[in-house]
Amino acid sequence: MKQILKFLIKNRYFLLFLMLEFFALFFTIQNHSYHKSKFINSANGLTGSIYTKVNAISSFFNLKEENKHLIEENIRLKNLLEIENIDVSSENTHLDSTKFFKRFFYTSAKIIKNEYTKPNNYLLIDKGLKNGIQSEMAVINSRGIIGVTNNVSNHNATVISILNKYLKINAGFTNSDYFGTLSWNGKDYKTVQLLDLPRQAQFKIGDTIITGGKSNTFPKGILVGKIKNFEKTNNVYQIINITLFNDMSSLNNVNIITNLQRNEIQQLEKLNNE
Amino acid sequence: MSKTVENIILFFVALLLQVILFNNIKLFNYINPYIYIIFIIYYPLKKEKGLFLFLSFLLGLSVDFFSDSGGINAAATLFIAYIRLPLLSTILRKSDFDYLLFRLRSIPFLKSLTYIFFLTFTHHLLLYSLEYFSFNEFKTILTKTFITSLFTVLLILLGIILFTKKR
């Protein structure tokens, strides 16, 4: 007993070091698995409020850029309205709002922490549980896809950026129904990769990629980017590089999409699995 | 000012400078200097290093909280805090120190540069290895470690030269 005590006292710093290092590695490994709830994240009261205060100052510098984005979005929406002009003059048109089921609900938020140089990037937004944000909601802006919410606290939420190795999103083409998986190889923050595309899919450089709507997070048709280049061996597409429409290095205002049918779909999927 | 207050201020200044200012410096969209380890480099030498180890761990963990990175900063910072004393005694070829009178500015410049560079390099290597967590990315880890270390060392040297008195 005395020997053990002596040993403990003699090596107390080393043992303290080992213990703390064990904790640090435990948090690291936990962070590497995507779906687990995490203890270390920036969506808590203290870090959230500090980032909010800093952002209140720094957001003034982006006003010009943000104005440009808003004008761009306005123009895009006006053009969409022109395309889908409902002919109200015809007598056959009935607009009965009870017939339409609203499937998606949009909430606005602001990015208060942005990163894009790491292999796994996380963002922080200024809305949380109190604003109806939950985990696994889609985050987009006027130029397209940004990410999916992850940890949510009362006033803040972390977002897994599209620039994160653990995020896989279903995406496809505007002109055909083939779809693949969108992921990032951790290299360039302007390009992402489309994988698992069937070999009969036809496309060319410059085609627009949109979300496929096969998951219950993203609605169909959210903009992603343009095809930059692709490699093909034995008629199988290896890697398709996509230039993002979004500039991930300067993000400010975003929209969060709530899927109002999510519970219903999840229940159905549960029934299928049983 | 008493030494304890000075150390507490150093802790918070290092943390806030890192998360508010230096985490937003992405030089060439690539280099993100980690200057908060100036706390480990500058913390006074003591024979009792239990508190120092714990504070280093806490500092790393706080940076992790702000940057959603699990425990990579905590692990790397704790490691360099543990090897600090053996490293110094190897560089200065001394087995025992005059703990109270030791000042970083009082040792030869080349030796203190070696000390700062070695600590920074070890910290960054551990940090990026844990962040990428894959052997396939070994080349990326090494280049990133090397380039970022140079930049961090430069900033830390500037900080020490500007804000401390030469004795």
Side-chain angles (χ1 to χ4, degrees):
Chain A
M1 192 63 205
K2 211 177 168 187
Q3 288 292 318
I4 295 173
L5 266 179
K6 220 175 185 176
F7 172 80
L8 284 181
I9 289 170
K10 200 182 156 204
N11 290 309
R12 62 190 187 279
Y13 298 131
F14 183 65
L15 290 173
L16 179 70
F17 165 71
L18 273 190
M19 191 184 80
L20 293 176
E21 198 73 78
F22 171 79
F23 278 123
L25 291 178
F26 174 75
F27 291 138
T28 307
I29 289 162
Q30 203 186 29
N31 195 41
H32 279 288
S33 50
Y34 160 50
H35 264 295
K36 253 179 204 162
S37 67
K38 286 185 299 173
F39 170 62
I40 309 290
N41 64 69
S42 58
N44 58 55
L46 187 67
T47 56
S49 68
I50 289 177
Y51 273 128
T52 310
K53 286 210 176 75
V54 173
N55 184 260
I57 300 163
S58 62
S59 63
F60 277 108
F61 300 108
N62 297 331
L63 283 180
K64 212 172 166 185
E65 183 73 8
E66 204 50 36
N67 237 335
K68 214 177 91 192
H69 281 198
L70 284 177
I71 291 168
E72 268 173 22
E73 179 165 32
N74 264 340
I75 297 290
R76 199 172 66 86
L77 292 178
K78 271 183 186 161
N79 282 332
L80 274 180
L81 272 182
E82 282 301 316
I83 295 166
E84 295 175 9
N85 212 345
I86 301 163
D87 190 9
V88 261
S89 59
S90 127
E91 284 180 12
N92 297 334
T93 318
H94 294 284
L95 276 180
D96 187 354
S97 59
T98 54
K99 278 185 184 167
F100 298 106
F101 189 80
K102 194 177 175 185
R103 208 179 144 191
F104 295 105
F105 180 78
Y106 291 77
T107 321
S108 80
K110 220 169 171 188
I111 300 264
I112 55 175
K113 185 202 96 181
N114 186 13
E115 49 184 40
Y116 52 91
T117 51
K118 296 182 175 175
N120 295 305
N121 296 295
Y122 293 89
L123 320 173
L124 189 70
I125 53 171
D126 66 342
K127 295 271 166 82
L129 283 176
K130 293 223 162 135
N131 309 91
I133 309 297
Q134 287 167 353
S135 70
E136 290 204 45
M137 283 183 178
V139 181
I140 64 164
N141 73 359
S142 57
R143 291 183 176 179
I145 188 166
I146 288 172
V148 176
T149 57
N150 188 22
N151 288 299
V152 188
S153 72
N154 276 337
H155 299 285
N156 298 96
T158 57
V159 176
I160 308 177
S161 162
I162 179 95
L163 306 178
N164 190 314
K165 281 181 187 172
Y166 301 117
L167 191 64
K168 303 268 186 270
I169 287 168
N170 175 279
F173 302 99
T174 39
N175 49 6
S176 69
D177 277 337
Y178 296 116
F179 60 88
T181 315
L182 203 66
S183 69
W184 189 51
N185 62 6
K187 294 213 166 77
D188 181 15
Y189 73 97
K190 285 174 187 154
T191 13
V192 292
Q193 282 72 34
L194 188 66
L195 309 171
D196 309 332
L197 209 69
R199 63 166 69 185
Q200 65 270 29
Q202 282 191 345
F203 53 84
K204 56 184 186 300
I205 289 172
D207 277 1
T208 305
I209 302 291
I210 53 172
T211 55
K214 302 280 188 298
S215 70
N216 54 16
T217 317
F218 280 98
K220 191 184 161 101
I222 303 288
L223 295 171
V224 177
K226 269 190 207 159
I227 295 181
K228 188 183 171 193
N229 53 39
F230 54 86
E231 278 171 34
K232 209 172 173 184
T233 45
N234 295 336
N235 247 354
V236 180
Y237 298 113
Q238 297 297 333
I239 302 164
I240 303 168
N241 285 316
I242 296 164
T243 316
L244 286 173
F245 287 131
N246 246 325
D247 180 3
M248 295 300 283
S249 64
S250 84
L251 298 173
N252 203 0
N253 288 310
V254 294
N255 302 334
I256 295 152
I257 307 176
T258 312
N259 187 347
L260 297 171
Q261 289 178 331
R262 189 163 82 163
N263 284 343
E264 213 177 310
I265 295 171
Q266 272 174 355
Q267 271 173 9
L268 270 178
E269 280 175 347
K270 221 176 174 181
L271 277 179
N272 268 346
N273 288 341
E274 272 169 9
Chain B
M1 208 172 2
S2 86
K3 268 255 122 54
T4 328
V5 178
E6 214 172 277
N7 292 335
I8 292 169
I9 291 175
L10 182 63
F11 184 95
F12 284 107
V13 167
L15 174 64
L16 289 179
L17 265 184
Q18 181 62 48
V19 296
I20 292 173
L21 188 64
F22 285 95
N23 272 357
N24 292 318
I25 293 183
K26 281 139 188 165
L27 205 66
F28 316 122
N29 288 321
Y30 192 68
I31 301 168
N32 184 8
Y34 291 94
I35 58 100
Y36 70 93
I37 54 170
I38 199 166
F39 177 78
I40 285 89
I41 289 167
Y42 205 68
Y43 193 85
L45 283 188
K46 273 175 195 156
K47 204 156 193 149
E48 292 294 315
K49 54 182 186 175
L51 181 69
F52 173 58
L53 284 181
F54 186 71
L55 281 179
S56 311
F57 175 74
L58 207 64
L59 180 63
L61 202 66
S62 312
V63 175
D64 281 325
F65 262 112
F66 277 96
S67 43
D68 294 278
S69 46
I72 58 172
N73 283 294
T77 314
L78 182 68
F79 186 77
I80 61 163
Y82 188 74
I83 64 160
R84 185 179 75 148
L85 201 56
L87 179 73
L88 256 185
S89 58
T90 332
I91 289 176
L92 296 176
R93 296 209 183 83
K94 275 184 194 169
S95 54
D96 202 24
F97 291 97
D98 192 353
Y99 287 100
L100 278 174
L101 281 173
F102 181 83
R103 294 279 181 287
L104 197 60
R105 292 294 297 265
S106 59
I107 60 176
F109 178 72
L110 217 61
K111 284 186 173 173
S112 70
L113 184 68
T114 323
Y115 160 70
I116 293 173
F117 187 79
F118 196 82
L119 279 190
T120 314
F121 189 81
T122 317
H123 175 268
H124 285 23
L125 186 65
L126 266 177
L127 191 77
Y128 286 123
S129 311
L130 286 173
E131 191 170 29
Y132 281 91
F133 221 68
S134 133
F135 288 114
N136 294 335
E137 307 276 0
F138 192 64
K139 244 168 92 182
T140 322
I141 293 171
L142 273 188
T143 44
K144 233 177 164 173
T145 303
F146 201 73
I147 295 169
T148 314
S149 295
L150 287 181
F151 200 60
T152 308
V153 168
L154 193 73
L155 284 170
I156 287 177
L157 274 183
L158 276 181
I160 289 178
I161 290 169
L162 286 177
F163 294 107
T164 61
K165 283 186 226 119
K166 195 169 170 76
R167 287 164 215 252

